[in-house]
Protein backbone atom coordinates (compact mmCIF):
# COMPACT_ATOMS: atom_id res chain seq x y z
CA UNK A 1 0.00 0.00 0.00
CA UNK A 2 2.62 2.50 1.08
CA UNK A 3 5.59 2.87 -1.21
CA UNK A 4 8.61 5.13 -1.02
CA UNK A 5 10.60 5.61 -4.20
CA UNK A 6 13.94 7.40 -4.25
CA UNK A 7 15.57 8.94 -7.27
CA UNK A 8 18.42 11.27 -8.11
CA UNK A 9 21.44 9.19 -7.21
CA UNK A 10 24.45 9.01 -9.44
CA UNK A 11 28.18 9.46 -9.85
CA UNK A 12 29.70 12.85 -9.11
CA UNK A 13 33.12 14.28 -8.42
CA UNK A 14 34.13 15.51 -5.00
CA UNK A 15 32.73 18.98 -4.43
CA UNK A 16 29.77 18.35 -6.70
CA UNK A 17 26.08 18.26 -5.91
CA UNK A 18 23.15 15.88 -6.17
CA UNK A 19 19.49 16.24 -5.29
CA UNK A 20 17.69 13.15 -4.07
CA UNK A 21 13.93 12.88 -4.12
CA UNK A 22 11.55 10.53 -2.35
CA UNK A 23 7.96 10.16 -3.53
CA UNK A 24 5.54 8.68 -1.00
CA UNK A 25 2.47 6.92 -2.32
CA UNK A 26 -0.62 6.82 -0.10
CA UNK A 27 0.93 8.59 2.85
CA UNK A 28 -0.79 7.64 6.10
CA UNK A 29 -1.74 10.00 8.90
CA UNK A 30 0.61 8.16 11.24
CA UNK A 31 3.62 8.80 9.02
CA UNK A 32 4.63 11.94 10.86
CA UNK A 33 8.30 12.11 9.94
CA UNK A 34 10.57 11.32 7.04
CA UNK A 35 14.20 10.45 7.27
CA UNK A 36 17.18 9.96 5.02
CA UNK A 37 19.67 7.24 5.87
CA UNK A 38 22.70 5.90 4.09
CA UNK A 39 24.62 2.67 4.12
CA UNK A 40 28.05 1.93 2.74
CA UNK A 41 29.16 -1.66 2.04
CA UNK A 42 30.07 -3.47 5.24
CA UNK A 43 28.81 -0.65 7.46
CA UNK A 44 25.71 -0.04 9.55
CA UNK A 45 22.89 2.06 8.22
CA UNK A 46 23.59 5.67 9.22
CA UNK A 47 21.22 8.52 9.99
CA UNK A 48 21.48 11.55 7.71
CA UNK A 49 18.48 13.83 8.26
CA UNK A 50 14.83 13.97 9.33
CA UNK A 51 11.91 16.30 8.70
CA UNK A 52 8.36 16.42 10.04
CA UNK A 53 5.43 16.55 7.62
CA UNK A 54 3.41 18.84 9.86
CA UNK A 55 6.06 20.96 11.56
CA UNK A 56 9.29 22.74 10.79
CA UNK A 57 11.50 20.46 12.86
CA UNK A 58 14.61 19.36 11.01
CA UNK A 59 17.61 17.41 12.19
CA UNK A 60 20.94 16.48 10.59
CA UNK A 61 23.84 14.31 11.51
CA UNK A 62 26.94 16.37 12.26
CA UNK A 63 28.90 15.17 9.25
CA UNK A 64 26.44 16.71 6.75
CA UNK A 65 25.50 19.94 8.52
CA UNK A 66 26.05 22.92 6.27
CA UNK A 67 26.28 20.73 3.19
CA UNK A 68 22.97 18.85 2.99
CA UNK A 69 19.46 20.29 3.12
CA UNK A 70 16.30 18.28 3.66
CA UNK A 71 12.98 19.67 2.46
CA UNK A 72 9.42 18.57 1.80
CA UNK A 73 6.47 19.29 -0.47
CA UNK A 74 3.33 18.14 1.29
CA UNK A 75 1.09 18.68 -1.73
CA UNK A 76 3.23 16.35 -3.82
CA UNK A 77 4.09 13.96 -0.97
CA UNK A 78 7.76 14.31 -1.69
CA UNK A 79 10.87 14.75 0.40
CA UNK A 80 14.14 15.94 -1.05
CA UNK A 81 17.75 15.90 0.07
CA UNK A 82 19.94 18.51 -1.55
CA UNK A 83 23.56 17.44 -1.20
CA UNK A 84 26.29 19.98 -1.85
CA UNK A 85 30.05 19.86 -1.44
CA UNK A 86 29.98 16.10 -1.67
CA UNK A 87 32.90 14.11 -0.31
CA UNK A 88 34.07 10.58 -1.13
CA UNK A 89 32.98 9.52 2.36
CA UNK A 90 29.40 10.40 1.38
CA UNK A 91 29.43 7.43 -0.99
CA UNK A 92 26.64 5.06 0.00
CA UNK A 93 23.20 3.80 -0.85
CA UNK A 94 20.76 6.44 0.35
CA UNK A 95 17.39 5.37 1.70
CA UNK A 96 14.21 7.30 2.31
CA UNK A 97 12.24 6.26 5.39
CA UNK A 98 8.92 7.07 7.03
CA UNK A 99 7.97 6.72 10.67
CA UNK A 100 5.97 8.04 13.60
CA UNK A 101 8.76 9.62 15.64
CA UNK A 102 11.84 11.50 14.51
CA UNK A 103 14.86 9.42 15.40
CA UNK A 104 18.40 8.69 14.32
CA UNK A 105 17.73 5.00 14.91
CA UNK A 106 16.67 3.27 11.67
CA UNK A 107 14.75 0.70 13.71
CA UNK A 108 12.20 3.41 14.54
CA UNK A 109 11.07 3.68 10.91
CA UNK A 110 8.49 1.35 9.47
CA UNK A 111 8.60 2.31 5.81
CA UNK A 112 11.62 2.25 3.52
CA UNK A 113 12.41 2.95 -0.08
CA UNK A 114 14.57 0.73 -2.24
CA UNK A 115 17.56 3.03 -2.04
CA UNK A 116 19.52 5.02 -4.59
CA UNK A 117 23.27 4.80 -5.10
CA UNK A 118 25.39 7.89 -4.56
CA UNK A 119 29.03 7.62 -5.56
CA UNK A 120 31.48 10.47 -5.05
CA UNK A 121 34.84 10.15 -6.76
CA UNK A 122 38.06 11.69 -5.49
Amino acid sequence: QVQLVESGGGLVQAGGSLRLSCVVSRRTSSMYVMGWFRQAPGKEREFVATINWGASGISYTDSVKGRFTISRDNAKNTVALQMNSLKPEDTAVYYCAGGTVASANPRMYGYWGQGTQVTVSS
Side-chain angles (χ1 to χ4, degrees):
Q1 290 182 284
V2 177
Q3 289 188 319
L4 283 64
V5 181
E6 303 98 331
S7 63
L11 173 64
V12 299
Q13 295 182 358
S17 298
L18 283 174
R19 183 178 178 85
L20 306 183
S21 180
C22 174
V23 179
V24 182
S25 65
R26 304 179 68 177
R27 183 172 68 88
T28 66
S29 60
S30 61
M31 191 184 296
Y32 299 122
V33 301
M34 299 296 297
W36 283 99
F37 292 78
R38 62 189 182 185
Q39 187 168 24
K43 297 184 178 180
E44 298 294 321
R45 190 161 297 187
E46 176 190 24
F47 164 74
V48 177
T50 60
I51 189 168
N52 193 299
W53 285 110
S56 60
I58 293 174
S59 182
Y60 300 97
T61 190
D62 288 343
S63 64
V64 307
K65 289 181 178 178
R67 299 189 298 120
F68 291 11
T69 302
I70 189 171
S71 62
R72 57 173 165 80
D73 186 332
N74 292 53
K76 297 181 179 180
N77 287 328
T78 60
V79 178
L81 184 69
Q82 178 67 45
M83 305 185 294
N84 299 326
S85 301
L86 284 163
K87 305 174 181 179
E89 50 263 44
D90 294 319
T91 296
V93 176
Y94 283 69
Y95 296 91
C96 177
T100 59
V101 180
S103 176
N105 186 347
R107 296 180 180 178
M108 299 297 294
Y109 296 80
Y111 302 97
W112 292 89
Q114 81 289 344
T116 185
Q117 177 70 49
V118 172
T119 303
V120 185
S121 62
S122 301

